[in-house]
Amino acid sequence: PQSQAAEQQTQQQDEASSKDSAVESKSDEGSATPAAKASTDKIVILLRPTGNAPILTKKKWVVGRSQRVGWVSEFVKKALKCQPDESLFLYVNQAFLPAPDRDFGGLYDCFGADGKLTLHYCKTQAWG
Amino acid sequence: TTPDSIQRQVWDGKLPVCFVLPEDPDVPPLYSLVPRVGYFPALLDRLRAHLSRHAGIDEDSPGAQQLWLRSAGRPLRWHLPVGLLYDLERPKPPPLPWEVEIRTRDFPTDELVSFGPNNSLESYFLYCLKEADALKHRARVINEMGEREHRQLWQGLLNDQFDQFSVVNRKLMEGEAKYLPFRIYQQGADGGLSVLQCLAKPHREDSTPLTLSDLLRICLPNFTDPVTLATHGVSLPMETPLAWAYDKLAYPDNFLHLVLQPGRCNSAGDGESSAMQLDSSSES
């Protein structure tokens, strides 16, 4: 039930943030300044298991643009109840592992769309 | 001048580094000429051998296995190329040889990537290439390569073999790029590092070349202060076409790594840390 609540909350945030960005992009109309993308300060990340990774109950996470990959990776490790010595790999584009100090803003601008960025996770290296 | 000469000079750039062990002043420093385009973790075996010989720290001991590097009180983010790390110390670059501290305790897990058998520097390097090719060619070129060619890129870099590296790398650098892979770094006063990366096409909408000042406008639309972008120890004129800079000055990981610092570029001679002279007109 707790995770369901979290999911709901995420969806609410999701709606709220998309509402916000719609308002912002409207007010930006006609001016040459910030791109609509840059004005959304929250990003929804969708986590999909790959290989033999266990399934997460909470698949949708909302993160700030300045949030680091390493921080989310630790969070997911806790959610999956990983042992301290176990690794977790978060892939972008089903192709590469971003360094833990990368922020989601830059990753989203290059590899995300519609406020969402999909990440594939696994406990052993899946691609590469 | 051959078309490759700038890439060759970039490849040959070296930094004299002096590795010291502050916790034991009796241990002699280790001097090394380190390729700017290389990575510090590639030297870990040599550093461990040095500590084992002079400090009695066994190569398999936790201290030697967990060692990390520090400069000016900050952990060196060693998943970034050596030359970029030195350029991040601008505008006051440390005197050469660059004194780098070896630490055997308190590995800063939050800030540093821990390289090991499960997570090698080689695979990290390959992921950089994959990300770059995803931006340039929707990952088509890197995916068409075999594992042998991937290894050749890494071995060429590790063993300082330019020809071995560039014969494969040329395939990645050729062809029309959809977006040019770059990152702009800004070292904060608090030691934090901010990294900017966004989509940048080689050309403007009117199909004239996109320049570095266009790039800044895209990445930092609200930024009006005069700034300088530098790479390989050289400040670049703002009118430099991004595609030219990328083609000539990208690191082996296929990213153009630019360091942002306040102040206008005094273009002529601030190559304080690099013997390299860049001249776009020398291109044939």
Side-chain angles (χ1 to χ4, degrees):
Chain A
Q2 206 181 350
S3 66
Q4 256 177 7
E7 182 89 16
Q8 253 173 18
Q9 200 189 353
T10 318
Q11 275 169 0
Q12 277 166 6
Q13 279 175 357
D14 192 1
E15 280 162 26
S17 69
S18 64
K19 217 162 140 191
D20 280 351
S21 64
V23 172
E24 277 175 48
S25 60
K26 211 174 179 181
S27 65
D28 276 349
E29 250 180 302
S31 74
T33 35
K37 253 187 171 180
S39 65
T40 24
D41 57 349
K42 294 279 177 197
I43 296 161
V44 176
I45 53 177
L46 302 171
L47 287 165
R48 301 197 194 288
T50 189
N52 54 0
I55 290 169
L56 276 169
T57 42
K58 181 168 148 58
K59 297 176 181 70
K60 231 176 179 185
W61 301 53
V62 179
V63 296
R65 285 185 60 89
S66 57
Q67 208 72 261
R68 309 274 166 151
V69 170
W71 185 85
V72 168
S73 163
E74 285 307 309
F75 234 93
V76 175
K77 272 171 91 168
K78 274 193 203 117
L80 288 174
K81 299 185 174 65
C82 287
Q83 300 298 314
D85 59 338
E86 278 185 302
S87 309
L88 183 87
F89 300 93
L90 290 179
Y91 285 87
V92 176
N93 259 21
Q94 302 193 40
F96 68 90
L97 284 178
D101 63 350
R102 290 283 291 281
D103 62 46
F104 282 100
L107 283 173
Y108 170 73
D109 289 345
C110 294
F111 301 102
D114 306 323
K116 297 186 185 76
L117 177 73
T118 303
L119 296 175
H120 285 77
Y121 65 91
C122 51
K123 288 184 171 186
T124 51
Q125 295 204 36
W127 295 281
Chain B
T1 318
T2 67
D4 269 351
S5 67
I6 295 174
Q7 288 97 323
R8 181 75 219 221
Q9 286 182 66
V10 165
W11 178 277
D12 285 337
K14 305 264 197 302
L15 279 169
V17 179
C18 169
F19 295 98
V20 296
L21 185 69
E23 68 191 56
D24 187 349
D26 293 336
V27 172
L30 175 72
Y31 290 92
S32 184
L33 263 184
V34 184
R36 267 183 161 267
V37 296
Y39 295 87
F40 277 125
L43 295 171
L44 275 174
D45 285 344
R46 267 185 69 196
L47 293 174
R48 287 185 186 125
H50 184 76
L51 294 188
S52 151
R53 196 174 317 126
H54 299 282
I57 299 173
D58 190 69
E59 288 177 42
D60 297 322
S61 69
Q65 286 306 313
Q66 283 278 297
L67 71 81
W68 53 285
L69 302 173
R70 199 164 82 159
S71 166
R74 286 196 295 261
L76 280 174
R77 292 174 164 85
W78 57 11
H79 63 288
L80 303 176
V82 171
L84 169 62
L85 290 173
Y86 187 77
D87 289 344
L88 282 172
E89 305 281 334
R90 289 160 69 102
K92 285 189 187 139
L96 297 175
W98 182 14
E99 191 174 287
V100 169
E101 295 178 359
I102 307 172
R103 316 290 299 185
T104 60
R105 277 189 281 263
D106 307 322
F107 189 95
T109 325
D110 295 345
E111 289 172 82
L112 286 193
V113 182
S114 172
F115 288 106
N118 208 358
N119 182 28
S120 69
L121 180 64
E122 177 179 355
S123 65
Y124 174 73
F125 175 73
L126 197 58
Y127 288 132
C128 291
L129 294 176
K130 288 187 171 182
E131 179 176 355
D133 203 51
L135 292 167
K136 285 192 285 188
H137 312 116
R138 299 176 186 276
R140 183 180 46 80
V141 183
I142 192 92
N143 288 337
E144 279 172 7
M145 282 183 182
E147 202 177 321
R148 203 181 60 85
E149 284 179 298
H150 292 166
R151 276 207 81 81
Q152 189 174 336
L153 286 164
W154 173 244
Q155 290 296 328
L157 178 64
L158 198 62
N159 302 320
D160 199 5
Q161 297 294 317
F162 178 74
D163 294 337
Q164 189 188 352
F165 172 83
S166 58
V167 74
V168 183
N169 191 51
R170 204 167 292 142
K171 298 183 188 175
L172 292 167
M173 298 296 282
E174 276 171 357
E176 183 75 14
K178 189 163 171 35
Y179 302 108
L180 293 172
F182 73 93
R183 286 185 196 138
I184 296 178
Y185 299 81
Q186 191 175 18
Q187 183 79 67
D190 58 350
L193 181 69
S194 51
V195 185
L196 290 167
Q197 186 177 341
C198 61
L199 296 178
K201 292 182 176 172
H203 298 101
R204 301 179 184 135
E205 277 178 20
D206 64 1
S207 60
T208 54
L210 190 102
T211 64
L212 294 183
S213 60
D214 296 329
L215 184 67
L216 274 183
R217 263 195 299 276
I218 297 170
C219 289
L220 294 161
N222 302 320
F223 210 73
T224 49
D225 297 337
V227 291
T228 302
L229 291 174
T231 188
H232 306 296
V234 179
S235 300
L236 303 175
M238 280 300 169
E239 63 275 15
T240 310
L242 177 63
W244 185 91
Y246 180 75
D247 191 41
K248 303 298 178 209
L249 305 174
Y251 274 82
D253 65 4
N254 279 226
F255 274 87
L256 180 66
H257 295 291
L258 300 166
V259 176
L260 180 97
Q261 58 181 99
R264 212 174 289 281
C265 154
N266 47 358
S267 48
D270 90 292
E272 78 288 298
S273 59
S274 166
M276 181 174 57
Q277 292 269 313
L278 295 174
D279 182 4
S280 57
S281 63
S282 70
E283 219 191 323
S284 53

